[in-house]
Amino acid sequence: MKIYALLFGLLFAAGCAAISGPSAPAIDGKWEGAMEMMGQSTKIGYEFMSDGSTLTGTTTGPQNQKIEITNGKVEGNNISFDVPIEMGPMKMTVKYKGVLAGEILELTMEMDMPEGAPGGGQMPAIPPIRATRVTAE
């Protein structure tokens, strides 16, 4: 009889968990990190929201300007997204790839410099950005 009671309790708990729905994806929320470039550390913020495999949100730079991310994707603990940047007549896209490990998000950046930009071609390598969660959504 005790076995039936225990089995019923486990099934009841599993059913309640299923009814409450899936928990929010781990990437949803606000994140902060710092980008190291040319000996300078620049604070960077991210706010993400996922819907299935689609990632949306914004990134915030040093002057607190928010930029909408584009082409965002979530695949397990991996994310990717683009950030379009305009500096006067120059238009660029920064491509991010990231891996989520608990409360740490490690991001790498890649950007092609526009033609006519100083140094033209590929941007110098930037060390990975380690962002930590500020709030969960």
Side-chain angles (χ1 to χ4, degrees), residues 23-46:
S23 61
I27 194 67
D28 289 8
K30 293 182 182 181
W31 298 78
E32 286 184 353
M35 177 175 63
E36 304 292 329
M37 195 159 88
M38 298 187 301
Q40 299 288 323
S41 180
T42 303
K43 190 174 169 182
I44 263 184
Y46 306 93

Side-chain angles (χ1 to χ4, degrees), residues 29 34 73 81 97 134:
K73 293 181 181 76
F81 60 94
K97 289 183 182 179
V134 178

Side-chain angles (χ1 to χ4, degrees), residues 15 25 41 45 57 64 74 121 124 135:
S41 180
N64 289 326
V74 178
T135 62

Side-chain angles (χ1 to χ4, degrees), residues 47-60:
E47 189 166 354
F48 297 121
M49 180 121 62
S50 61
D51 183 10
S53 64
T54 301
L55 181 67
T56 58
T58 58
T59 181
T60 305

Side-chain angles (χ1 to χ4, degrees), residues 1-133:
M1 188 68 154
K2 289 181 183 180
I3 293 174
Y4 290 120
L6 179 61
L7 183 59
F8 176 78
L10 290 173
L11 290 172
F12 180 76
C16 289
I19 290 171
S20 69
S23 61
I27 194 67
D28 289 8
K30 293 182 182 181
W31 298 78
E32 286 184 353
M35 177 175 63
E36 304 292 329
M37 195 159 88
M38 298 187 301
Q40 299 288 323
S41 180
T42 303
K43 190 174 169 182
I44 263 184
Y46 306 93
E47 189 166 354
F48 297 121
M49 180 121 62
S50 61
D51 183 10
S53 64
T54 301
L55 181 67
T56 58
T58 58
T59 181
T60 305
Q63 282 84 30
N64 289 326
Q65 74 278 19
K66 283 190 175 190
I67 302 173
E68 294 285 327
I69 68 171
T70 60
N71 303 319
K73 293 181 181 76
V74 178
E75 296 174 348
N77 287 342
N78 297 307
I79 66 168
S80 61
F81 60 94
D82 297 341
V83 176
I85 297 175
E86 292 185 33
M87 295 189 312
M90 291 193 309
K91 295 180 182 182
M92 300 171 261
T93 300
V94 179
K95 296 180 181 296
Y96 283 86
K97 289 183 182 179
V99 177
L100 178 63
E103 296 296 303
I104 302 292
L105 176 62
E106 189 162 310
L107 296 160
T108 56
M109 299 170 48
E110 184 179 294
M111 179 173 67
D112 290 326
M113 299 298 284
E115 288 185 31
Q122 187 71 21
M123 183 172 108
I126 296 176
I129 298 168
R130 289 180 53 95
T132 55
R133 184 185 306 276

